[in-house]
Amino acid sequence: MNYLVSFASNGLEESMKICAITMVYRDYWALSQWYAHYSRHLGSEHLYIVAHGYDEKISEVCPRANVITVPRDDLSGFDRIRGHLLNGFQDGLGALYDWVIRTDADELICIDPERFVDFEALFTAQRKADTLFALGLNLFEGIEDAKLSEHTNVFAHRRHAVFSGHYSKAWAVRRGAHLVRHGVEVAAEHLADAAFTLPKGVYMVHLKYANTAALTEANQHRTEIASGTGKGLPGNIWAKATTDAGRFYERLATLPDLEWKRARTKAYRTINRSPIRDAKLNVLRAKSVNFEYRTQLPDWFKDC
């Protein structure tokens, strides 16, 4: 359940309410992982999926989630409009929920059970925060890894990962906080001293590289979108998605392995030490660091 029972000052019981939202276009394998993961933690009735264009398969993949369809007839200003749209939905959900979890469909928030037993415990420990960040990880398919079946839990068959500053993103907000460029929008007068809240034991696991078969299919869609004629479309990473994926795997092959605890400690210190305070955009975000070592996930991820 996603309710945490507590007592208000007047003695009446209150419940912490948590939901999750994502936006998706066709990325069915990743979406199935997102749906299964957050359903276990929050209950599927508290999941909200923004379908970019009508797609009846989304309701088949996520049968008990709330699906909202938005038009896909014009992709101009893709990232900007998508951000405004999701921040608006997020604000609305913030009137009903205490915390809104917002990630892409291929991003799962995993919590070390030795730190927090669940999302409720995590949020309760962060009463002063309006936004939370997580330490990012790229989970990837190794040469020896078997192909994944459609509904298999990815953590049961993937262990190889590399920490990522780019995916050490803001992911949970209270009402009024807006996510921008992997970070959080902050008023100019508060940017210098805004809190960068990165709880230990909280990870954003990016699944893009964990299933090469799904990646090949998703890259076709990314290339089509970036190659369109509208203004403000995604850039080279989408336009040359297959090339970019190839470079990622090639780089991984050159990296040494580092035991989890040492790798985690080094990554956390690096990300937490010096976040970016972008005065041009008024955004607080993590530094996009590339870590020069691989690691393996501990066993608890299988049950996260």
Side-chain angles (χ1 to χ4, degrees), residues 24 61 98-99 131 163 186-187 204 209 221 233 235 259 278 291:
V24 69
V61 174
D98 299 294
W99 284 91
T131 309
F163 282 98
V186 180
M204 174 175 282
Y209 303 105
H221 303 314
L233 297 175
E259 182 268 335
D278 188 333
F291 291 94

Side-chain angles (χ1 to χ4, degrees), residues 137-142 160-164 167 206-212 215 240-255 290-291 294:
L137 284 161
N138 273 311
L139 189 65
F140 63 92
E141 181 177 314
H160 304 292
V162 59
F163 282 98
S164 167
Y167 284 97
H206 183 222
L207 303 182
K208 177 179 177 180
Y209 303 105
N211 185 339
T212 54
L215 177 60
K240 300 178 180 179
T242 300
T243 301
D244 180 71
R247 283 198 295 261
F248 174 83
Y249 288 112
E250 288 173 5
R251 178 175 174 271
L252 284 177
T254 69
L255 299 182
N290 287 321
F291 291 94
R294 306 174 304 191

Side-chain angles (χ1 to χ4, degrees), residues 107-169:
E107 296 167 348
L108 307 182
I109 298 297
C110 295
I111 303 171
D112 186 339
E114 292 188 0
R115 294 272 182 183
F116 306 101
V117 296
D118 52 24
F119 282 102
E120 290 90 342
L122 167 61
F123 290 135
T124 299
Q126 307 299 329
R127 292 185 184 276
K128 295 182 179 180
D130 291 322
T131 309
L132 299 185
F133 288 78
L135 187 58
L137 284 161
N138 273 311
L139 189 65
F140 63 92
E141 181 177 314
I143 296 174
E144 73 283 8
D145 287 334
K147 301 298 181 183
L148 294 173
S149 61
E150 185 175 357
H151 299 293
T152 300
N153 180 349
V154 65
F155 294 113
H157 299 279
R158 296 290 183 267
R159 300 287 300 280
H160 304 292
V162 59
F163 282 98
S164 167
H166 186 69
Y167 284 97
S168 295
K169 297 169 60 174

Side-chain angles (χ1 to χ4, degrees), residues 87-107:
N87 279 324
F89 279 135
Q90 176 181 299
D91 280 344
L93 290 171
L96 302 172
Y97 293 91
D98 299 294
W99 284 91
V100 179
I101 295 171
R102 176 175 142 197
T103 71
D104 291 344
D106 61 0
E107 296 167 348

Side-chain angles (χ1 to χ4, degrees), residues 22-298:
T22 194
M23 186 170 179
V24 69
Y25 173 69
R26 290 193 183 182
D27 201 353
Y28 304 122
W29 175 77
L31 181 62
S32 70
Q33 297 290 326
W34 186 94
Y35 177 72
H37 180 77
Y38 292 108
S39 290
R40 287 195 300 273
H41 291 284
L42 308 179
S44 52
E45 69 273 21
H46 300 292
L47 305 186
Y48 295 83
I49 299 167
V50 180
H52 201 186
Y54 176 73
D55 186 347
E56 61 184 14
K57 189 169 180 178
I58 289 177
S59 293
E60 296 174 8
V61 174
C62 310
R64 291 177 296 279
N66 304 283
V67 180
I68 306 159
T69 299
V70 297
R72 194 180 169 77
D73 51 350
D74 183 1
L75 299 181
S76 299
F78 182 85
D79 286 329
R80 177 179 56 82
I81 291 175
R82 179 178 181 272
H84 284 312
L85 180 69
L86 289 175
N87 279 324
F89 279 135
Q90 176 181 299
D91 280 344
L93 290 171
L96 302 172
Y97 293 91
D98 299 294
W99 284 91
V100 179
I101 295 171
R102 176 175 142 197
T103 71
D104 291 344
D106 61 0
E107 296 167 348
L108 307 182
I109 298 297
C110 295
I111 303 171
D112 186 339
E114 292 188 0
R115 294 272 182 183
F116 306 101
V117 296
D118 52 24
F119 282 102
E120 290 90 342
L122 167 61
F123 290 135
T124 299
Q126 307 299 329
R127 292 185 184 276
K128 295 182 179 180
D130 291 322
T131 309
L132 299 185
F133 288 78
L135 187 58
L137 284 161
N138 273 311
L139 189 65
F140 63 92
E141 181 177 314
I143 296 174
E144 73 283 8
D145 287 334
K147 301 298 181 183
L148 294 173
S149 61
E150 185 175 357
H151 299 293
T152 300
N153 180 349
V154 65
F155 294 113
H157 299 279
R158 296 290 183 267
R159 300 287 300 280
H160 304 292
V162 59
F163 282 98
S164 167
H166 186 69
Y167 284 97
S168 295
K169 297 169 60 174
W171 63 276
V173 299
R174 295 185 190 271
R175 189 181 189 188
H178 286 175
L179 301 184
V180 178
R181 300 287 182 91
H182 289 203
V184 59
E185 189 175 42
V186 180
E189 62 270 25
H190 299 303
L191 183 61
D193 57 2
F196 180 74
T197 308
L198 180 70
K200 290 183 177 180
V202 182
Y203 306 93
M204 174 175 282
V205 183
H206 183 222
L207 303 182
K208 177 179 177 180
Y209 303 105
N211 185 339
T212 54
L215 177 60
T216 298
E217 182 176 348
N219 280 347
Q220 293 175 353
H221 303 314
R222 293 183 179 108
T223 301
E224 290 172 5
I225 293 169
S227 301
T229 57
K231 295 182 179 179
L233 297 175
N236 278 338
I237 291 180
W238 277 37
K240 300 178 180 179
T242 300
T243 301
D244 180 71
R247 283 198 295 261
F248 174 83
Y249 288 112
E250 288 173 5
R251 178 175 174 271
L252 284 177
T254 69
L255 299 182
D257 293 303
L258 190 62
E259 182 268 335
W260 166 258
K261 289 185 177 180
R262 291 183 61 201
R264 175 202 62 194
T265 299
K266 290 181 67 173
Y268 182 87
R269 288 175 178 170
T270 299
I271 296 300
N272 197 46
R273 183 184 303 126
S274 53
I276 300 297
R277 299 178 188 274
D278 188 333
K280 182 178 180 181
L281 298 175
N282 291 330
V283 170
L284 173 67
R285 61 175 175 83
K287 184 180 292 187
S288 294
V289 181
N290 287 321
F291 291 94
E292 299 302 321
Y293 47 82
R294 306 174 304 191
T295 191
Q296 289 201 31
L297 302 184

